[in-house]
Amino acid sequence: MRDERSGGHERVNDLGESISDAVFRRLRHDIIMGILPPGSKIKLERARERYSIGISSLREILSRLSAENLVLAEGQRGFEVSPVSRQELTELADLRTVLECHAIGLSFAAGDLEWEGSIVAAHHRLAAVERRLLAGDITRTIDWVRCDWEFHRAIVAASNSMTLLQSLSSVFDRFLRYHMLAGSFRGKAVVDDHKLLFERALARDADGARQIITSHVQRGVDHILKEPKFLSGK
């Protein structure tokens, strides 16, 4: 991707990623975390200044986000953050359950000692953050978002299917957006779910883990629907 503000050459930041990729990640994060609320217009000139990137690169980034259904392209009218609805919430919950349960079966069959170690480490980090949240430290919510995904990803990492993991990651984040809009962390119940899932993973109990994921996701939906004010009826 070319950046018209750098002589046609893509710049690279301190993390080794292109400026366009860094802006894509930041804009995507702002949508998922609700910083850019559902239905809000994305004014190109304002976004260009906010994210320090050229208009043509910004359009390409927004088109990439449109492919994930996080942004709507409105033709000549520009772009807006995708709205949220009960229907999409239900569809995302169903799709996440299908993808994660399938990945669990593959991962539990192929996982080795290194895989088990990564699960132990990921759960240790997640549990530490969750203890802080349960104690009332809401400043750790961002850490929890990251650690939550790292834990779930560690469990399915041995599935050896990059396509499956990429699809799950996208659906996971879109489902997470609903949690953030509803108030995010749902307390001890989610902590207990993670502990049970951790135990089932180390025991290679795929059926038990699938049952936990299914109820875990559904309870997440129930939690979100207690704060339905941000959802359309569709």
Side-chain angles (χ1 to χ4, degrees), residues 5-226:
R5 297 177 311 136
S6 57
H9 297 287
E10 186 73 80
R11 293 172 296 162
V12 176
N13 65 13
D14 292 340
L15 297 177
E17 62 184 353
S18 71
I19 297 301
S20 293
D21 285 342
V23 172
F24 171 81
R25 178 171 51 80
R26 183 179 165 201
L27 225 168
R28 189 175 185 276
H29 170 271
D30 287 352
I31 293 171
I32 290 166
M33 299 303 291
I35 296 169
L36 295 177
S40 60
K41 301 292 183 182
I42 301 176
K43 304 292 186 182
L44 292 180
E45 191 60 33
R46 187 178 301 172
R48 180 189 69 80
E49 295 177 0
R50 175 172 181 167
Y51 297 101
S52 301
I53 196 167
I55 291 291
S56 65
S57 294
L58 180 60
R59 286 183 181 276
E60 290 184 48
I61 289 167
L62 291 170
S63 294
R64 288 170 64 189
L65 291 168
S66 178
E68 284 195 76
N69 294 316
L70 290 171
V71 165
L72 293 179
E74 300 184 302
Q76 297 301 315
R77 293 185 297 171
F79 298 88
E80 73 171 41
V81 178
S82 294
V84 291
S85 68
R86 292 172 183 268
Q87 179 176 334
E88 187 191 46
L89 171 62
T90 301
E91 291 173 356
L92 288 172
D94 288 346
L95 185 54
R96 177 185 165 185
T97 300
V98 169
L99 291 174
E100 197 160 356
C101 285
H102 179 56
I104 280 171
L106 297 175
S107 192
F108 283 25
D112 55 15
L113 189 59
E114 183 176 347
W115 168 75
E116 291 184 3
S118 69
I119 293 172
V120 171
H123 183 260
H124 177 76
R125 290 191 294 269
L126 176 61
V129 173
E130 288 178 335
R131 285 193 295 271
R132 297 287 295 274
L133 283 167
L134 288 175
D137 184 2
I138 61 172
T139 65
R140 302 305 296 270
T141 300
I142 299 299
D143 292 335
W144 176 73
V145 167
R146 174 177 53 80
C147 291
D148 184 41
W149 167 239
E150 288 177 353
F151 172 63
H152 282 272
R153 191 186 189 285
I155 285 174
V156 299
S159 62
N160 295 319
S161 173
M162 187 56 64
T163 300
L164 176 57
L165 293 178
Q166 288 173 343
S167 297
L168 177 58
S169 176
S170 178
V171 171
F172 191 100
D173 282 347
R174 289 170 63 197
F175 187 68
L176 174 64
R177 182 163 77 123
Y178 283 80
H179 270 292
M180 301 310 298
L181 292 168
S184 182
F185 189 63
R186 58 184 174 89
K188 187 176 183 299
V190 75
V191 176
D192 292 343
D193 282 352
H194 287 149
K195 185 173 185 297
L196 286 172
L197 186 56
F198 169 69
E199 292 170 351
R200 296 296 184 273
L202 293 188
R204 308 293 181 107
D205 179 2
D207 287 340
R210 291 189 191 102
Q211 290 175 7
I212 292 165
I213 286 296
T214 301
S215 62
H216 178 71
V217 173
Q218 184 56 53
R219 282 196 289 266
V221 172
D222 295 341
H223 170 75
I224 292 165
L225 291 178
K226 291 179 181 177

